[in-house]
Amino acid sequence: MESASEAPIRGRVDRVSDIGWPSGVVARNFAGHGDFTAIANIFNTSVHADHSEGMSSAEDFANELTHDHTLDIERGLLIVEAEGVPVGWVVARWFKETDGPMVYRHMAKLVPSHRRQGIGTAMLRWAQSYLAAAAATHEDADRQFQTDVDDSECGAVIILTTDNYQPVQHHADMVRPDLENIPERPLPQGVEMRPVQDEHLRAIWESDIEAFRDHVGYVEQTEDDWLKFLNHPSADATLWTVAWHEDKVVGQVRSVINAEQNAAMGRKRGYTEDISTTREWRGRGIAGALIAAGLHKLKARGMEEAGLGVHVDNPTGAYRLYESMGFGVVASGATYQRPVTSADLDR
């Protein structure tokens, strides 16, 4: 029987000689569009087992990963297989936060049947090795490994904290369990909601970018991000609520219904997501008014509950607003970081 250090690597995978994959496990690079189905299946199996929220399709991952200017998809996406079956994946990318560190971000999912076998640790080591090779070419003084993990992913939390990662931000999934007694929240004088037209899309996207520019972790957006926005598989602009003041977008809630997720989970939930208000209009009730209007639209489409995600540490007070709108926390997690060290660079 082969040892862990002799486990095979299929295809072109960067800097893997010292990773130590468990026996019988092979790792390979992205092989084309067909891999998105496997990526979605692994993700959905994993989050279901961890009692986390969410479900994504192959089309969701294709749009997300092929329009990501921070990702070299041919090198930074690793598929892990056992006995020829994909059981895990890792995505590794890097980018500069506008007012923060150079971030070397990795995300991974592993199906429950192959956990506690050393695969998760090996995936982390591969991501760190791949990202450290990039970090060695950058001169930024502050370089940080980063990932997101739900609190329910106990094994992943242990792996990260054992390697000295620390939580730096916290996030939550929130749900409004019914769509009755929706609060009435008026828009301020001079602001109105308008139905979304195709010619509005660029202004809506650019307004959202400007609204988030002062948030922690903001990264400059590119035309790839514009294409991602345009091609979102579940986007339905008739569900969006967008506020205008004269010729300027000042706030938005881009609600969405994931019919596939609802069918799989036996529920009728819509999401009031992508909530933003431009800086000069914050504190005037725009977000609350748009969320309320979005809840009414979801109810009219037959939904029975609503969900959203939030950074708990958001300085705009978003978390308190969502609580006041009837949303409560159903799942939580954190962004974990640790510095890229000289030992990482010397691997």
Side-chain angles (χ1 to χ4, degrees), residues 142 157 226 289 292 324 334:
D142 189 0
V157 171
W226 164 240
S324 75

Side-chain angles (χ1 to χ4, degrees), residues 207-208 210-212 214-215 243 249-253 274-288 290 316 321:
S207 175
D208 191 54
E210 286 304 311
F212 280 99
D214 62 344
H215 283 51
V249 175
V250 296
Q252 59 191 278
V253 177
D274 298 299
I275 302 167
S276 65
T277 305
T278 56
R279 285 184 291 280
E280 63 271 27
W281 284 92
R282 289 176 189 164
R284 306 193 198 185
I286 290 177
L290 295 178
T316 64
L321 169 63

